[in-house]
Every structure is written in structure tokens, then in C-alpha cells.
Amino acid sequence: MLSAIGRAFRTPDLRRKLLFTLGIITIFRLGAFIPAPGVDYGNVQQCLALGNTEGGLYQFVNLFSGGALLQVSIFALGIMPYITASIITQLLRVVIPRFQELHQEGAQGQSQLTQYTRYLTIALGLLNATTLVSLARSGALLGNCPVPLIPNDSLITIILLIITLTAGTGLIMWMGELITERGVGNGMSLLIFTAIAAGFPTSLGEIFRTQGATVFAFVLAMGVVVVALVIFVEQSQRRIPVQYAKRMVGRRTLGGSSTYIPIKVNMAGVIPVIFASSMLYLPSLIAQFNTPQDGTAPPEWVNWITTYLTSGDHPLYMAMYFLLIVFFTYFYVAITFNPDEVSDNMKKYGGFIPGIRAGRPTAEYLQYVLSRITLPGAIYLGLVALIPLIALVAIGANQNFPFGGTSILIMVGVGLETVKQIDAQLQQRHYEGLLR
């Protein structure tokens, strides 16, 4: 392994790509600690020291920004607006026929969809920046901190702060595309990987400090097991054989080859977990806005939401979280994988599944296999997402428990994909790749 890494850095072209990627990642992490204009960095650190920022609506966004959100830095919004814009653009393909036509046009259509995603990212960044500044001004961002985060909240300062946060989102998006174009791996995924990995030392250090060495060793051992299981499931797939009939074109015989359609056990990735988390944040957000500020008792339904749907350690919350993940897994797979389209493409190029007639029977067979294999994938996603909540109950760890939920799914997925790309580039120049 070490010799393979040495070969990678001895290859000039690959070394240049790796160093460029590491340079962009370094800039991304530095930006997470540069305060936005108008923000009092000392007051921010004083509020963070009070420890009132666990859980809540923006803890999830803070995870994807590598802690930059609660630092109120120039990269406070992180990559989350781009993720949201990408998901919205993908879902709009089902609603807007023009988006589906662009998706089917190939590289040119994909380029147009990417441009729409960029515009939507800036719009969402502007909206999120406005919300973030409002929370920072009121003090609700860091658990009703007594000291002001923005001492001078004049109109010019607020506008400058919103523009800076939105520009930070645009800069992160540009850096991610630079990595994709000139570096190694998918740029956006690598930036998300970096943001999540940056929180691991803090989370593990907090567990060691509060729970002791025994619990810390148990968490590490369980983390190794969870990572191994996640890698196993992420690599698992159902291969449906496809045979292409022979056909004569002039004097040449084409076709006659066999291949397969790989259907992954976890086709939806981490998207259902994000959807389910967002849906469960809505009740707590509504309850927060309906809590009286004058000290009077809140309504009964607000107390119910606060008791059962806020902290994450209640069985009702866990059950709803699990069921929502299963539902959104089926929903997202149904949107992204169209058996009728796959069947039509196979029929167009003379392909067929052995033992299955072309056309409608092929689409029905694909739908049958998809529904069967999506169930274990949905259960797997739900169980992995519940690991931090179970840890919260079992050992009192916070909801940013490192070995579970979206963090471990994203890190393993991005890590496997990046290693495969480096391995493929090594094999182009050497007989041996990064992996053996």
C-alpha cells in the first residue's frame, strides 16, 4: 500500500493532480475559520464555550460545513446549498418534461442542467445566508447566547454579511468543480468528505474526555465493524445478465456479446437520510416559532413535540426516523431508476434478459427485482442512521457520533470512489494499481 502511494507521487501527472486537490482542500478548511465581516470572533468562541449548540435544526448543516456554520465564517453555509440544489434539479426531471429532455440529450443537456443547478445554488445560498444572519442577530444560532455575535447590526453590515456568505457558497462550488476538472475524484464529494472528517477528532476527543478510555476503545472497535459492514453493503449489487443478439451490418457481424445491469443494494445513497432528517426537523422548527418569549407556558402540542420529536432519544422519534428513511428510499429509487426506459434502450439496441421477453415483460421483471433489492437497502440505511441515536441513549454521546448516520455513509462512499479513480489512473501507467 505504501509503495503504491509512493508510485502515485512519483508519477508526474498524478502527483500534480493529487497536490492540486490537497491544495484546494487546504483552502477550504482555512476558510472555515475566517470570520465573516461584522462578526465578533471572540463573542462567537465565548458562546461556543457555553455548550448550548448540541442538536437543533442547524446541527445537520454544521456537519456538512465542517463546523464553519457555528463559527459564522465566510464558508458558514458550506456545500449544503449545492446539495439541495442538485436534489431539487434531479427531482424536477419528473415534474418538468424539459429537464428530462435535457437529461437525455447527453453532454450538452447535462451541461445546461449543471448551469441551472449553479443558479439555484446561488439563490438558495442567498436565502440561507439571510436566515443565518437573522438567527445570528437574535442570538438563537448559538443557543440564545447573552453576548451579541454581530455588535454593529447596521443595514450596510447586514447586506455585506449576506453577500459574503453567498459568495462563500459560490466559491466552494467553484473549488469543487476545479477538483473535478483538474484534480482527483469528484470535487463536491471530496469537499463534503473533508468537512465531515474534520469533525472526527473533536467528536472522538469529547467521547474520551467525558466517557473514559473503556468507552472510547469500545467506540473505536464498533467503528471498525460499522465501516466494514458499510463497505460490504455499498459494494454489493445484483447483476442482471443481458445478452445482445447478433446482427449483420454490411459484411460485418455485430453484437452477440453479453453484459449485465448492476443494481446496487443501496441505490439511493445518503439522500433518504437527508430527506428524513429534514422532515423531522420541521416539527421542532414550528414548535420553536410558537414558543412564547414572555415566559408564559407554551401550548400543549408544543410540549408534546419538544418531548417526543426534538432530542432524538425517544423511541417514537427513532421509529418515525426509520420509517421515513424506508419510505424515501423507495421514493428516490422509483424516481432515479426507470425500468421502462432501461427496457426501451435494451430493445432499441437488440438486448434482452435471458428467459424474459423484450418490452413490457422486461420492464416488469426489472421492477420486481428492484422492489425486492430495495427493501434490504432501505433497512440497512435506517439501521446505520439510527446508530448515533442509539449511542446517544447508550453512552450519552452527542448526535454527531462519528461512526454512523450520514457521516459514515458519505465518508465510506467517497473514499471508495476516490481510491478507485486513483487506482485506475495508476493502472494506466503501471501494471499494479493502488489496490491489489
Side-chain angles (χ1 to χ4, degrees):
M1 183 69 179
L2 293 177
S3 62
I5 295 174
R7 285 198 304 273
F9 277 95
R10 284 196 300 270
T11 306
D13 183 41
L14 190 54
R15 180 178 65 242
R16 190 161 50 246
K17 290 182 177 181
L18 289 171
L19 291 177
F20 180 82
T21 303
L22 291 174
I24 295 294
I25 289 175
T26 303
I27 296 173
F28 173 67
R29 287 305 301 154
L30 286 175
F33 297 97
I34 300 176
V39 176
D40 191 316
Y41 184 75
N43 288 354
V44 170
Q45 298 306 310
Q46 183 179 341
C47 293
L48 289 174
L50 296 177
N52 297 327
T53 58
E54 296 297 332
L57 177 62
Y58 289 89
Q59 192 70 35
F60 190 70
V61 183
N62 188 56
L63 173 67
F64 281 87
S65 66
L69 176 73
L70 296 183
Q71 297 283 349
V72 200
S73 70
I74 58 174
F75 288 167
L77 299 180
I79 203 73
M80 203 63 184
Y82 182 83
I83 298 174
T84 308
S86 300
I87 294 172
I88 291 174
T89 304
Q90 196 168 18
L91 294 178
L92 285 178
R93 283 167 37 198
V94 184
V95 182
I96 303 177
R98 175 59 181 163
F99 278 38
Q100 183 64 24
E101 293 173 5
L102 288 173
H103 176 70
Q104 296 173 348
E105 284 179 5
Q108 185 175 0
Q110 293 286 351
S111 176
Q112 189 65 43
L113 282 177
T114 301
Q115 194 67 19
Y116 289 153
T117 304
R118 291 170 183 159
Y119 294 147
L120 186 57
T121 299
I122 298 301
L124 289 175
L126 191 63
L127 179 63
N128 291 346
T130 305
T131 305
L132 177 62
V133 171
S134 300
L135 289 171
R137 288 181 65 193
S138 64
L141 179 66
L142 300 179
N144 295 317
C145 184
V147 295
L149 302 181
I150 308 175
N152 179 20
D153 57 351
S154 62
L155 180 61
I156 296 178
T157 303
I158 296 303
I159 293 176
L160 178 62
L161 186 53
I162 292 174
I163 292 175
T164 302
L165 294 177
T166 308
T169 296
L171 183 59
I172 291 174
M173 180 174 60
W174 178 66
M175 290 192 300
E177 293 180 353
L178 277 181
I179 293 177
T180 304
E181 181 182 350
R182 301 174 56 184
V184 177
N186 184 287
M188 298 301 177
S189 300
L190 278 175
L191 292 182
I192 297 173
F193 177 95
T194 304
I196 295 175
F200 264 56
T202 304
S203 299
L204 292 174
E206 186 67 19
I207 292 174
F208 182 80
R209 186 180 63 84
T210 58
Q211 305 295 331
T214 304
V215 175
F216 178 75
F218 173 75
V219 168
L220 288 181
M222 189 175 71
V224 173
V225 174
V226 170
V227 169
L229 291 176
V230 169
I231 291 175
F232 175 76
V233 178
E234 291 294 328
Q235 298 291 86
S236 303
Q237 57 183 224
R238 168 77 155 87
R239 296 181 175 181
I240 300 178
V242 177
Q243 185 75 33
Y244 285 92
K246 292 183 180 180
R247 53 195 176 98
M248 296 295 295
V249 179
R251 294 185 177 180
R252 293 191 305 170
T253 302
L254 300 179
S257 61
S258 60
T259 182
Y260 60 87
I261 301 174
I263 299 182
K264 295 181 64 177
V265 173
N266 179 25
M267 285 191 65
V270 75
I271 302 300
V273 182
I274 297 176
F275 280 0
S277 301
S278 303
M279 289 295 293
L280 281 178
Y281 280 143
L282 288 178
S284 60
L285 180 63
I286 295 173
Q288 180 180 350
F289 282 118
N290 286 273
T291 301
Q293 302 296 325
D294 54 1
T296 58
E300 191 63 31
W301 64 271
V302 172
N303 291 329
W304 188 88
I305 290 177
T306 305
T307 304
Y308 297 105
L309 299 179
T310 300
S311 62
D313 56 355
H314 197 277
L316 178 62
Y317 182 96
M318 295 183 184
M320 290 183 64
Y321 193 32
F322 182 85
L323 293 175
L324 281 174
I325 289 174
V326 172
F327 169 76
F328 281 120
T329 301
Y330 275 93
F331 173 75
Y332 190 74
V333 169
I335 288 176
T336 54
F337 187 90
N338 189 347
D340 294 324
E341 182 181 345
V342 175
S343 174
D344 292 341
N345 290 335
M346 289 170 53
K347 187 176 181 180
K348 185 187 302 181
Y349 295 103
F352 63 92
I353 299 174
I356 307 294
R357 292 178 58 188
R360 188 64 190 169
T362 298
E364 292 176 352
Y365 176 75
L366 290 174
Q367 183 62 50
Y368 169 76
V369 173
L370 189 66
S371 61
R372 291 286 296 273
I373 204 169
T374 301
L375 179 61
I379 294 175
Y380 148 78
L381 272 181
L383 293 177
V384 172
L386 285 178
I387 289 176
L389 302 181
I390 296 173
L392 178 68
V393 177
I395 62 175
N398 59 28
Q399 294 189 39
N400 262 346
F401 186 76
F403 298 110
T406 53
S407 58
I408 202 68
L409 290 171
I410 292 174
M411 289 191 67
V412 170
V414 175
L416 287 174
E417 191 63 32
T418 305
V419 167
K420 285 180 182 178
Q421 291 198 24
I422 298 175
D423 184 63
Q425 296 197 31
L426 268 179
Q427 288 183 348
Q428 291 177 0
R429 301 166 176 85
H430 305 276
Y431 287 110
E432 293 183 357
L434 189 64
L435 302 174
R436 295 185 181 182

